[in-house]
Structures are given as structure tokens and as C-alpha cells.
Amino acid sequence: MSKNTPKAIRGTQDIFGADAESFAFVVETFERVRKLYRFRRAEFPVFEKTEVFARSLGETTDVVSKEMYSFEDRGGDSLTLRPEFTAGIARAYLSNGWQQHAPLKIATHGPLFRYERPQKGRYRQFHQIDAEIIGAGEPQADVELLAMADHLLKELGIEGVTLHLNTLGDAASRDAWRAGLIDYFGAVRGELSEDSQERLDKNPLRILDSKDPRDKAFLADAPKIDAFLSNEALAFFDSVTKGLDAAGVKWKRAEALVRGLDYYRHTAFEFIPDEGSEAAKALGAQSTILGGGRYDGLMESLGGPDTPAVGWAAGIERLTMLVGERNQEPVELAVIPLGKDEELKAIEVAQSLRLSHFATELFVRGNMKKRFNRADQAGAKAAIIIGADELASGLLQFKDLKTGEQTALSLDAIIERSWDLRFADDMEAMDDQLSELEQEVRALGEQD
RNA sequence: GCGAUCGUAGUUCAGUUGGUUAGAACGCCGGCUUGUGAUGCCGGAGGUCGCGGGUUCAAGUCCCGUCGAUCGCCCCA
């Protein structure tokens, strides 16, 4: 690489190969699951007026105060690359009059931007999948949203991750708790870590999940949210947990779990890998793979009517690290012309096969040995060989690469044979899955 | 924003106490009398050792800076 070749910007990534396949798998699975829960697909701008984020997230949050990519456009407006989805979705809801669709279930995904120090699982341009239910104040909305998140993780095959659940209460409960925490920690201010002394002013709730041993000494006796919850808030949380139990979603109460952004009320949650699990190891310092909560106050902060809502977002890169390697689907059919003279015929045949829905690749480089070699390594089930004789007779050589058996067939017959091959492979895969399931069932029976 | 480790072919890495033309594997390209593969054989291309400066007769190797990656803190998805 030459000295003048440009490099990617810090914290951005070019995703390719197995990683890109896993990334696509995460998005495709999300699309599939989202439809089962009848969330509607939506797309939103990647940038908004800066105030959209500043007003809704809270001026003192780290995201707003030091992590936004903000710039002035040529018209002099201050714009910001979205650091999260929720604020922009709320803005869209208000400016398009989507109240008419309430309760509105929305799903989206795409890139987000935060000026942070890059690490494994943390990038300056990163990607999230996102789900929101807007205009629904019922706890059932929280339950459905969480059930979908749990379902998604199962479909992705992610294990060793637990839903950590908390309630921050309504606005009054949350404010009273906050005041209680400031009183409690303020009395021992000098003994807290430097970080927590700062948090005391900016976001006292955050002290609760501090890892500093100086702070940990005071955590056990810190005021708990439960003591400040109004009857309504308590009843709300109770409905959520009962609903989760009914839906079969496992959860764990996490009293110290708070959310960094100002707009959260009531339900707050994160899916976190269990300590010592494979998932925890894969993620490094980044623990939360999916997080969110209820944000009943957000719409008002943007000047809209009082509108209850819940939502979550999950980092696609983090999910990708947990779903394991996925490779490109193998080629099904290889078309191999013997020489230059047969190439046009090969193009014609390959196109017919693709139009018949077979993943087909042409192999025209190197000698015959290399062509077969490559076809084999790409995973081809069969090769269609075209030489001078085939050109003359119109019948092509069809070679089953597993058995080595080779016959002269018409194009129609080749398509028919190819369907048979695919069907046989599908049956074999299903048999494998079945016997795996049987083994699991047997193992379960022995445990009982 | 703070602290720490690392940076050599496309990739994964080796490179002795500083010492001549920087190596391996895989990958890539070509060939093995040009109609047949899944462990074969032969040959080839590809690196100003992240970048810039310094010490030295001599730097991939030591020092400083810078950029980037990784790990922890902070924050978050």
C-alpha cells in the first residue's frame, strides 16, 4: 500500500466476509421476527437538527455534551449525525402526525455516530436495530416489546444472556429517588471516587453501578427506588413482570440498573451476558447488547403532546460477535467451458440456470484442473461442462461432483436434475436436524 | 477525555545481544503435451518493516513524536 493511499476514518469499519455474513444474518433475523410481532418497517434521516438530540437526550449527558458529530450546513443550521434512534423517531412521529396510527409499532435499523474512543464492540460509526411502540401507555406494550427482544436473541442462537430489569418509576418517583440519592451520597461526597463526585452533580443514578471500590462501600445502604415508587408506578411494574412471566421471558431484577439518557421513565432494561459466559468473553468490556426502556416524557420535551412510548435498540456489531462465523452460501452449479470458443455458450447457460433460481458461477480461469478445483472449493453440487462436442450436439455434460457420475443432458434435463440434487441435500439437512433434536430430547429425558 | 500493550508480504506470523540482498505458511498468478476436481508437482509476482524524526559506522530491532488497533477506566448498543 502506497503512502498516499487513504485510510478509513478512526472508529469506522469496512465489514466483509464472515463478519458481513453475520451482520446480514442479524438484520435478516430481526426483519423476520419483527413481522411476527407486526412492527412496521420505517426509515429515518441519518441527520437531524442538533436540537432534536440536545433537547430530548439531556444537555448534560455524555452523548450530547461530548460525543455528537455536529456541524453547520451551508445554510447556517446546526445539524447532527444521529447518535441514537429514539429522538429522531419521536421527531418524525410528531412532524408527520403519526398520532393517527397510535399505538404505532415501528422497527428500523441503520448507522449511528458517536465520537468515542474506539474499542472492541465500540465504534464511531456503529449500527443498531431498533424497535419502538409509540402512543401506548399500557404495561402490555413493555411486555410485548421485551418478548420480541427475547425472541430475537433466541432466533439468533445467542445464549448466556439475561434480561436485567428495573423500574425508574414515574416522573415524581424518579425525582424523589434522585433527590434521596443526592442527599445520601452528598453526605459522604469526599470519600467517593472522582468520577462519582462528578456524577453526583450530573447523573447521581449512575453512581449505583460504579465499579470503583471507594464507591462500592456505600452502595448497599443507598436508597432504593422501591421506597420512592408511587402506588401507580408499583402497580405498573408489577403488571410488566407478571406479563413477562406469562410470556415465558426470563428476567432478573436489577435495582442498580439506570439508563444514561434523561428521557427514561418506568421500565428500564438491558440484556447482559452472564458473568463468565462465552458471550461475555466475546464482548470484552462492552456488556450491554440490547437496552432500552419507557420514555413517556420525551415527546413533551420536543414540544409535542403527552405521548407514552417504549423502545429498545441493540448493537448489530455486538450481536454479530455473538452469532458466530457465518460463511457465504455455497455455489450450487458450476458452469465450465473448455476453452474460449465455448465461453459465450457458457454465459448463456449460466444465465438460464440463475433465472431458474440456482446459485451459479462460471469458471473460466486457469486450466481444467484449476477450474474443477475452484468449483469444488466453492461447494458446487454439480458442474456443467461445455466443449466443442457439446456445442455441436446441443447436449451438455452434467457431472455430479459428489459421485463423479457424468451424463450428456439437455438444458431442461439439467435443470430438472439440479432440482433433484437440491431436494436431496435439503432432505439430508433436515434428517440431520431431526436426529440432533432427537438426541437433545433423549438427553433431557435422562436428566429427569 | 485518562492509563497500558501492540503495529513486518493480501492474511496469520517468524526475524537471535542492533550487523550484508527481510523469511515461512496460506492465499494469488502461470505451467505440469491444453476434455475433468476434491491430499500432487514445478515456477512466479508481492514488503521503502504504520508514518515522521533522532541515536549509531550500521536500525525491522534502541529513543521521541504521530496515526491506528487492542485491553482497562469513562460512557453506551
Side-chain angles (χ1 to χ4, degrees):
Chain A
M1 190 170 68
S2 144
K3 255 196 272 196
N4 327 315
T5 307
K7 286 185 299 186
I9 292 171
R10 181 172 164 85
T12 66
Q13 24 168 12
D14 305 308
I15 307 169
F16 173 73
D19 287 342
E21 297 295 334
S22 298
F23 190 106
F25 170 68
V26 169
V27 173
E28 283 159 16
T29 307
F30 175 62
E31 274 295 291
R32 197 153 45 75
V33 172
R34 154 239 135 178
K35 287 176 191 165
L36 297 174
Y37 290 77
R38 307 263 305 146
F39 277 64
R40 303 173 74 165
R41 181 64 210 226
E43 301 294 337
F44 300 98
V46 170
F47 55 118
E48 296 274 356
K49 287 198 176 138
T50 298
E51 60 171 332
V52 169
F53 304 111
R55 279 165 64 181
S56 57
L57 303 184
E59 298 279 0
T60 61
T61 58
D62 276 20
V63 171
V64 170
S65 62
K66 48 192 187 199
E67 293 176 1
M68 294 204 303
Y69 277 95
S70 298
F71 60 97
E72 201 172 276
D73 75 0
R74 289 169 189 275
D77 291 324
S78 176
L79 307 181
T80 295
L81 299 180
R82 44 139 95 138
E84 57 118 47
F85 275 117
T86 307
I89 295 174
R91 188 237 88 222
Y93 181 88
L94 293 173
S95 53
N96 295 312
W98 284 347
Q99 287 93 331
Q100 61 177 321
H101 297 117
L104 176 60
K105 297 196 272 189
I106 273 201
T108 190
H109 73 84
L112 304 162
F113 306 84
R114 250 121 94 162
Y115 190 84
E116 293 186 277
R117 181 95 171 248
Q119 265 181 45
K120 186 179 186 176
R122 194 168 95 179
Y123 308 94
R124 288 185 171 180
Q125 176 178 337
F126 60 105
H127 303 81
Q128 287 184 347
I129 50 180
D130 181 278
E132 315 274 347
I133 305 182
I134 307 173
E138 305 86 354
Q140 287 75 12
D142 306 47
V143 172
E144 187 172 320
L145 190 79
L146 280 164
M148 177 170 79
D150 187 65
H151 188 166
L152 171 67
L153 296 180
K154 285 206 176 86
E155 291 284 325
L156 289 171
I158 293 172
E159 286 169 359
V161 172
T162 302
L163 165 58
H164 292 236
L165 185 69
N166 196 18
T167 178
L168 305 172
D170 46 40
S173 311
R174 183 181 158 144
D175 289 348
W177 183 37
R178 186 187 163 101
L181 286 171
I182 292 175
D183 276 354
Y184 174 79
F185 286 116
V188 293
R189 186 182 190 109
E191 296 171 64
L192 298 175
S193 67
E194 295 76 15
D195 280 334
S196 284
Q197 293 187 27
E198 205 178 309
R199 283 190 275 237
L200 196 51
D201 303 320
K202 280 169 54 183
N203 192 353
L205 312 202
R206 268 259 106 91
I207 301 175
L208 293 173
D209 57 3
S210 169
K211 289 165 198 150
D212 194 298
R214 286 170 290 178
D215 301 330
K216 277 189 169 169
F218 299 104
L219 296 186
D221 295 327
K224 303 276 189 290
I225 176 65
D226 291 15
F228 299 88
L229 289 178
S230 63
N231 287 336
E232 290 77 12
L234 212 54
F236 189 95
F237 189 57
D238 193 49
S239 297
V240 172
T241 57
K242 285 212 171 82
L244 289 175
D245 292 340
V249 176
K250 292 208 180 68
W251 58 278
K252 192 169 131 188
R253 179 69 197 274
E255 287 183 320
L257 189 149
V258 296
R259 310 249 66 221
L261 310 176
D262 277 2
Y263 54 61
Y264 285 103
R265 301 282 182 279
H266 288 293
T267 320
F269 53 85
E270 290 178 6
F271 282 80
I272 302 175
D274 304 333
E275 232 166 287
S277 66
E278 285 299 309
K281 259 176 262 167
L283 283 170
Q286 319 308 324
S287 55
T288 305
I289 57 170
L290 184 155
R294 182 161 272 283
Y295 50 93
D296 292 349
L298 174 56
M299 294 291 174
E300 276 183 290
S301 74
L302 291 175
D306 184 10
T307 309
V310 239
W312 56 250
I316 299 178
E317 285 87 349
R318 292 184 189 177
L319 292 171
T320 297
M321 289 189 278
L322 300 182
V323 299
E325 294 239 321
R326 304 191 78 86
N327 289 311
Q328 188 186 21
E329 296 275 330
V331 66
E332 291 186 284
L333 301 177
V335 178
I336 304 180
L338 289 172
K340 278 263 171 251
D341 295 343
E342 294 84 26
E343 276 183 14
L344 283 178
K345 181 67 181 173
I347 290 170
E348 181 193 321
V349 169
Q351 196 60 20
S352 301
L353 295 172
R354 287 164 177 158
L355 288 170
S356 304
H357 302 102
F358 290 100
T360 306
E361 198 127 42
L362 270 164
F363 293 87
V364 294
R365 296 171 83 166
N367 56 28
M368 285 310 282
K369 172 161 180 146
K370 290 225 159 94
R371 293 180 195 204
F372 271 90
N373 227 321
R374 288 204 180 89
D376 202 49
Q377 272 162 17
K381 299 189 212 297
I384 291 92
I385 303 134
I386 308 171
D389 297 348
E390 287 73 26
L391 230 43
S393 71
L395 291 182
L396 311 176
Q397 293 294 327
F398 181 85
K399 180 169 184 169
D400 183 325
L401 288 175
K402 210 149 87 182
T403 62
E405 181 196 344
Q406 186 170 325
T407 40
L409 297 173
S410 70
L411 187 57
D412 284 347
I414 282 173
I415 289 170
E416 212 162 299
R417 281 288 304 275
S418 301
W419 280 113
D420 290 347
L421 278 181
R422 181 191 283 179
F423 184 67
D425 278 10
D426 287 352
M427 288 301 285
E428 206 174 303
M430 276 168 71
D431 277 353
D432 288 352
Q433 277 185 0
L434 250 174
S435 57
E436 247 177 68
L437 267 171
E438 275 169 16
Q439 276 182 14
E440 271 178 45
V441 169
R442 218 170 296 143
L444 276 171
E446 280 164 23
Q447 273 177 19
D448 299 337

